[in-house]
Amino acid sequence: MTAVADARVPARTRGSSKDLAGTGTLLRLALRRDRIMMPVWVLCLGLTASSTVGRLKGAYDTPEARSDLVADMNGNGSTRALFGAAFDDSLGALTVWRVGAFLSVFAAIMSLLIVIRHTREEEETGRQEALSACMVGRRAGLTSALLAVGIANAAVTVLIAGSLAGQGGTGALALGLAVGLSGMAFGGLAAVAAQLTENARLARGLTSAAVGVAFVLRMAGDAAEDGSRGSGHVLVWLSPLGWAEYARPFADERWWPLLLIAVLAAASTALAYSLAGRRDVGASFYATRPGPPAAGPSLNGVFGLGWRLHRGALLGWSAGFVFAGLIFGAISDGADDFLGDSDQTREIIQRMGGAQGLNDAFLASMVGILGTILTVYTASAVLRLRSEETDQRAEPLLSNAVSRLRWAGSHLVIAYLGPVVVLAIGGLALGVGYGVAADDMGGVPRAVGATLAQAPALWVVTSAAVFLVGVVPKYTSAAWAVVGWVVALGWMGPALKVSQSVMNTSPFSHLPKLPGDDVTAAPFLWSLLLSVVLTAGGLVGLRRRDIGG
Amino acid sequence: MKTAISASGLHKSFGRTHALDGLDLEVEAGEVHGFLGPNGAGKSTTIRVLLGLLRADAGAVQLLGKDPWHDAVDLHRHIAYVPGDVTLWRNLSGGEVIDLYGRLRGGLDAARRAELLDRFELDPTKKGRTYSKGNRQKVALVAAFSSDVELLILDEPTSGLDPLMEEVFRECVAEERDRGRTVLLSSHILSEVEALCDRVSIIRKGARVESGSLAQLRHLTRTSVTAELAEPVNGLSELPGVHNLDVQDRRVKLQVDSDHLDGVLRRLTQSGVRSLISTPPTLEELFLRHYQDDAARAGEGAVAR
């Protein structure tokens, strides 16, 4: 009788401990798979924090120099937007001012990559199915992914707190926690995204967009109000990255904003758990809609296919750049008004944005930020070529009457021209945002021209990725190291007074700072030449090498 | 007869693994050629070399009179390939993929496409991963069979198909042969190869160990004989070519090399044959014979299973 009764009870019981069966094994699997990637991320974050203290110490060696810097930087909305608000003039507080946001953003990106890699990507490839057929509970996959990301963020927290402990233990702990908890919050959001879509690529895109929105909100809020005084701006309070900022590490720490981040992490995790228990393995809440029974005229070959594969990302990046451009433009106005006569502040901004009028220099800094961020897009578009190959979709395609160059071209035309389109759109938005704030639309063409002028430097990164795919396909992920280096230098180099020879390793350092700077042909031509050489090398390699995983 | 595929002395290594170790392969135009070998024997590597996706370290290879590495694009206009593991784009429907492949091969027979969709019972509106493994294979098969090509290269194309669909597949291959097309069918489903192929090549550890028509290959191996006799028989064990002899009173079971069958039958008829079952060697036995030393080495593992 009992057996009969049991059979009528739905087999899925809520919150049963069996849901977590196999978590330990899956966690070891995740850590084993990430044994290179995770330590590299953690070490890079730790080293960034510890090396910044040293650089700041060298660059601003007297308390007077530091307090001047803080006064100048905080006195102006545009500088606050660009660099964040500085809450104190100690070395620790300046470190937070310069790299705090950077560390939180990168911890968030690390976390979203780890979580989606071990949840939705496992399901999308069908590997989760095989694992779930073993003694593995319904929620074990998600739990092991969150534990893995918890370990990574704990390591980041400890490393940052440890390396900055010399500047004050409490502040170091607050910064470590702010960064680690930011990682966990976006890891939790990634876990939710992984439940909502069947597409790992889309889940990564959605979560990255959330990081971008949080960053721009914080930036706009910092521009509007000096957070080191008063209660802070509402836009900053809307951003999880703003909570990390308002925890004020090394400047009379406030602990409860950290609690907010922890609550977000917990709430998103709980939501992901509840969603994970309600859906089928491999599925999402949105069933895939049926497609057309036959191909339309636009799917006329590999170029039509390339457009189909890349158009979603192009659309997403364009939308993001409209949003960012409008806000960046609006906060670039008024730089001249408040800035004091401090030479060092002027010097930093000019290193970043060029030695012309400060409004122009700010616009140029924003243009530079937009350009360097786009290296992420162009690299991912190039690497699509490699993932098509490793996912075994390239092989059948190339066994048709399609040359390798044509196939590569179908992706590369988007990798090269897509960023140009996004730059133009971003430039337009930047110009319009500035124009609305300054009541002067005359600058729009200059803004578009300035963003478009970033393309040659961007193409150097594109072609470096092409070179990797063609010549050393096993090490294509090195393209992300190039992107990380270029973004980090552009973001932190000027204020840290990094030597020009190091700055010059980034192709963006060679371009004139537009709008405002004199335009000479040489840097553009050199960038183009380098792009052509690297691309040609990559394509020759691609033609000569074996195709396949 | 024209040669559709000829490869000789192919070598290919990946790091320390020698995937191909002096492989030879000849496929005549217009034949269905079975390409047999156990997992990891080098079948797929060979096919990738034939398609110009991999470059052989050494050896010569020609398809339809062309070099697959240098003339890949021209050559591929006349080739349709079905991989063993078909992966589709998540945002493209099956129908779109079929048409895309058709356009990339220079033509698709729309009537044949519609007929094949019907016969394979394939819904062309589904997308990417919503297809099962078998249905993904059908997408690739419909694309291949409705393309206007001279040579079809099929790499274990039926591994996900159900028996009904396998039957449809066999009909399609037969139709291709009737139209004068050449088919290279890599498989380890021996009944399929027996049913479809004119000739077979068996490879092992990256080299060919046997090639010829099924009749020729059968000649190389043993026939099983079971007979019920009127009176006991002696001296069977002394006859040349007799193996696995099992005599129980008047019931005799044995295997005999095909060229010694005559002598055995003569001896049996002397004792008066009441009934006789003679089974020609199956491809399976042929296959096993080539791998028995591998099997012996893997003996313990096999027993445990």
Side-chain angles (χ1 to χ4, degrees), chain A residues 21 124 127 137 140 145 195 205 252 277 370 390 405 437 474 480:
Chain A
E124 194 180 353
R127 289 191 288 256
Q195 310 306 316
D252 194 13
L370 292 178
T390 52
L405 288 185
K474 290 218 164 75
W480 293 121

Side-chain angles (χ1 to χ4, degrees), chain B residues 104-292:
Chain B
L104 293 175
R105 279 178 195 135
L108 196 78
D109 181 341
R112 178 118 173 109
R113 176 190 187 273
E115 176 211 327
L116 285 166
L117 282 178
D118 193 45
R119 280 165 75 185
F120 276 110
E121 294 172 20
L122 180 70
D123 175 2
T125 65
K126 285 188 156 195
K127 284 186 193 164
R129 274 196 63 81
T130 57
Y131 282 119
S132 69
K133 174 176 163 59
N135 282 332
R136 288 203 300 276
Q137 256 169 347
K138 288 184 199 170
V139 169
L141 285 171
V142 171
F145 286 136
S146 51
S147 301
D148 182 20
V149 292
E150 289 176 44
L151 171 64
L152 291 118
I153 297 180
L154 313 176
D155 191 1
E156 300 186 6
T158 57
S159 50
L161 298 187
D162 66 43
L164 289 175
M165 289 305 142
E166 218 179 303
E167 194 49 46
V168 176
F169 168 75
R170 289 181 189 191
E171 290 164 20
C172 288
V173 171
E175 288 161 18
E176 295 301 315
R177 178 181 31 206
D178 295 345
R179 288 201 257 178
R181 291 172 181 169
T182 313
V183 179
L184 178 68
L185 173 64
S186 140
S187 180
H188 47 220
I189 303 173
L190 300 165
S191 58
E192 180 178 286
V193 173
E194 270 187 312
L196 289 174
C197 296
D198 308 307
R199 296 201 309 141
V200 300
S201 292
I202 300 180
I203 71 165
R204 177 184 160 218
K205 292 185 180 164
R208 186 175 66 184
V209 291
E210 205 80 80
S211 184
S213 68
L214 281 172
Q216 284 169 333
L217 293 184
R218 283 197 176 120
H219 193 64
L220 297 172
T221 185
R222 299 163 187 170
T223 302
S224 306
V225 175
T226 309
E228 201 125 3
L229 303 175
E231 53 197 64
V233 64
N234 288 316
L236 274 175
S237 59
E238 283 108 64
L239 287 176
V242 170
H243 307 269
N244 303 341
L245 179 63
D246 176 20
V247 181
Q248 288 182 350
D249 196 19
R250 291 172 193 175
R251 195 182 161 81
V252 176
K253 271 186 170 176
L254 59 79
Q255 286 189 324
V256 56
D257 291 341
S258 297
D259 41 351
H260 293 107
L261 183 61
D262 194 39
V264 169
L265 288 180
R266 212 165 294 191
R267 175 65 57 93
L268 290 176
T269 49
Q270 285 170 11
S271 306
V273 177
R274 288 266 170 82
S275 78
L276 179 75
I277 304 167
S278 162
T279 328
T282 61
L283 199 51
E284 189 167 344
E285 282 163 324
L286 194 74
F287 197 71
L288 288 175
R289 207 179 61 150
H290 281 292
Y291 299 113
Q292 57 200 3

